C-alpha cells in the first residue's frame, strides 16, 4: 500500500514522484512554486525525505500528500495535535466578532514596526481563537516579515489580520474579526489581497 502517513511517508513520496515521472529536482521546483512552506526545500532535502533520513514537518507531509492528490492517514497523536491547534473548524468559522464596533480607520504596516503594546493586543486576540501561538504559526509557515492590517474605532484596535504576500502568494496567518474567507479566490490576481481584506471585514 502506498498511502501517505508518518510511517509510510518516504516510501509513498518516492512512489508517487516516480508515478508522476518527476525527477527530484522537478519535484523540488514544483513544490517550491506551489506554497511558501516549500520555498527553502532543496533537491537534497527531497532525497533525505525519500530515504527516511529526515522527517519533514507534519504540515509538509500533509501538503505533499495533497500535492499528489492523495489522502493523508493521521496517527492519533497527529490528530490530537491538529485538534488542539485548530480547536474546532465549526467553532472557528462560527466565532463571533471579537470586537463589536464599527470600523472607521484601516492601517496596514509591518508587524516588526508595531509598538509592543499593539503587538501584545493582537497576540492576545489571536490566542482567543487559536491554540497555536502566533509566533509558532509564523515559524511553521516560514513567514519572516508579516504585515498586519489594523481595524480601528476612534483610535482603538477592534480587528486585525496578520498576513504575508510573497511572490504573488497571499497567506492569511491570523485574524481577529470575521472575514469572509470563502468569498475570495486567492489566485484572482486582479484584486489585491489587501483590498479583499478591507472589503471583507468592513463590508456588509
Amino acid at each position: 500500500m502506498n498511502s501517505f502517513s508518518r510511517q509510510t511517508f518516504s516510501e509513498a513520496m518516492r512512489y508517487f514522484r516516480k508515478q508522476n515521472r518527476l525527477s527530484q529536482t522537478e519535484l523540488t521546483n514544483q513544490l517550491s512554486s506551489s506554497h511558501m512552506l516549500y520555498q527553502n526545500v532543496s533537491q537534497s532535502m527531497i532525497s533525505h525525505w525519500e530515504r527516511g533520513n529526515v522527517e519533514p514537518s507534519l504540515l509538509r507531509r500533509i501538503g505533499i500528500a495533497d500535492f499528489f492528490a492523495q489522502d493523508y492517514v493521521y496517527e492519533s497523536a497527529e490528530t490530537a495535535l491538529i485538534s488542539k491547534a485548530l480547536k474546532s473548524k465549526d467553532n472557528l468559522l462560527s466565532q463571533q466578532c471579537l470586537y463589536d464596533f464599527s470600523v472607521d480607520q484601516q492601517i496596514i504596516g509591518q508587524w516588526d514596526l508595531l509598538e509592543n503594546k499593539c503587538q501584545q493586543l493582537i497576540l492576545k486576540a489571536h490566542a482567543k481563537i487559536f491554540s497555536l501561538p502566533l509566533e509558532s504559526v509564523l515559524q511553521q509557515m516560514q513567514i519572516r516579515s508579516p504585515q498586519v492590517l489594523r481595524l480601528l474605532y476612534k483610535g482603538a484596535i477592534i480587528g486585525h489580520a496578520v498576513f504575508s504576500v510573497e511572490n504573488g502568494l497571499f497567506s492569511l496567518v491570523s485574524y481577529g474579526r470575521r472575514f469572509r474567507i470563502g468569498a475570495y479566490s486567492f489566485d484572482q490576481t486582479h484584486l489585491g489581497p489587501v483590498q479583499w481584506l478591507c472589503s471583507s471585514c468592513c463590508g456588509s
Side-chain angles (χ1 to χ4, degrees), residues 170-190:
F170 171 59
S171 299
L172 180 62
V173 181
S174 171
Y175 59 92
R177 191 177 177 93
R178 290 185 67 182
F179 292 94
R180 297 195 298 274
I181 297 174
Y184 178 73
S185 175
F186 295 133
D187 61 1
Q188 291 178 310
T189 55
H190 64 279

Side-chain angles (χ1 to χ4, degrees), residues 125-183:
H126 174 89
K128 290 181 180 180
I129 298 180
F130 303 95
S131 295
L132 199 63
L134 180 58
E135 297 94 332
S136 298
V137 178
L138 291 169
Q139 184 177 12
Q140 287 276 3
M141 298 179 70
Q142 297 185 341
I143 295 175
R144 296 178 178 81
S145 300
Q147 299 181 64
V148 59
L149 164 67
R150 286 179 291 157
L151 308 175
L152 307 179
Y153 173 71
K154 295 185 177 180
I157 299 177
I158 61 170
H160 77 268
V162 180
F163 64 97
S164 172
V165 181
E166 295 184 17
N167 300 321
L169 178 65
F170 171 59
S171 299
L172 180 62
V173 181
S174 171
Y175 59 92
R177 191 177 177 93
R178 290 185 67 182
F179 292 94
R180 297 195 298 274
I181 297 174

